[in-house]
Amino acid sequence: MRLRLPEERPTEPPTGYKIAHPMLSQDGTRAAFTGVSLGGALPYGVLADASCVYGLRHRAPSRRCDCGFHCVHDRTAAEALLCTAEHRAAVLLEVTVLGRYIRFERGFRSARQRVRAVTVGPCACGTVAVALADAGWGRPGWRALAPSCAGCLRGRTSVSLAGFARLAGEGLRVVAGKSASVAVAGLGAADEPGVPELAAEAALLQARLDWFQSQLARLGEGGAEGR
């Protein structure tokens, strides 16, 4: 006799939380995420369908496999994962659980998900992040990004938080820390960047300008010595 698990029919999709690494495509035109454990080699977009990470042909999620998008019920439990050394540069995702899913004690494994909001932690120096910058590693065709303040960019490939939201699309919200404002990717006048977002963009541009000026000054000193 085969045991059948009870089926849920919620009135609205469940909400879950997880951590991931933000990614930027090689040409700088797309934004995505990659997991911190299973499926870490496969970047996914804001709205994505799961497939078996082992290449099997069954539908995800399967009770006899680990495939599917993983998330936990409790935001605090997901935030706790950011304390480990290997996950310090990851970001917190708030997701909508879509399609078929398997509920377990701490969360879900689902066939589909939509990333609704991203919370970006502080820069490695402890300052509130204004951008996501090249983390020094990646996947084929994708650069991994890490939170960065304006002073720590140092000419690295980077994108502002509002810029990452626009590239990701689907109305994604990106929040810098707990006290920063939200940057919404949208097309309407109501979704235009506000003063906090413009200030962050200005700080990012100023940091890049300062870096270029320092490089020009260094080149100028070298030319003077040559004469």
Side-chain angles (χ1 to χ4, degrees):
M1 183 176 178
R2 186 176 179 180
L3 178 64
R4 294 181 61 87
L5 296 176
E7 293 186 2
E8 297 184 30
R9 298 189 181 276
T11 56
E12 59 183 32
T15 295
Y17 301 91
K18 63 193 299 181
I19 64 172
H21 293 290
M23 310 289 285
L24 182 68
S25 63
Q26 182 179 1
D27 59 7
T29 62
R30 292 175 293 160
F33 305 94
T34 190
V36 297
S37 55
L38 285 174
L42 302 173
Y44 56 85
V46 172
L47 181 63
D49 294 292
S51 59
C52 180
V53 295
Y54 304 110
L56 302 178
R57 295 184 179 181
H58 56 241
R59 289 195 304 168
S62 171
R63 283 186 292 170
R64 298 185 178 183
C65 187
D66 296 325
C67 58
F69 288 119
H70 292 239
C71 66
V72 295
H73 301 294
D74 185 31
R75 181 188 179 99
T76 303
E79 289 175 333
L81 299 175
L82 296 171
C83 294
T84 61
E86 63 270 28
H87 299 154
R88 288 290 178 92
V91 297
L92 178 71
L93 308 185
E94 178 184 321
V95 302
T96 298
V97 177
L98 301 173
R100 298 172 58 251
Y101 63 81
I102 298 174
R103 180 188 290 272
F104 56 96
E105 183 180 0
R106 298 186 61 193
F108 304 93
R109 277 198 295 129
S110 64
R112 206 172 191 223
Q113 73 174 11
R114 178 189 293 273
V115 182
R116 293 202 309 247
V118 179
T119 301
V120 178
C123 176
C125 71
T127 307
V128 173
V130 299
L132 292 166
D134 192 343
W137 63 276
R139 300 285 184 258
W142 294 89
R143 290 186 177 92
L145 304 177
S148 176
C149 67
C152 292
L153 287 175
R154 297 192 183 92
R156 290 180 293 165
T157 298
S158 62
V159 59
S160 68
L161 304 188
F164 185 88
R166 286 193 295 270
L167 291 176
E170 299 287 345
L172 180 68
R173 295 182 293 118
V174 180
V175 181
K178 294 184 179 180
S179 60
S181 299
V182 176
V184 182
L187 300 177
D191 294 325
E192 290 292 328
V195 173
E197 289 81 12
L198 292 176
E201 294 274 9
L204 177 60
L205 291 173
Q206 184 62 50
R208 289 174 174 169
L209 179 61
D210 291 342
W211 182 83
F212 280 118
Q213 288 177 336
S214 67
Q215 297 302 306
L216 288 173
R218 185 178 302 173
L219 291 173
E221 292 173 359
E225 292 175 358
R227 290 196 298 272

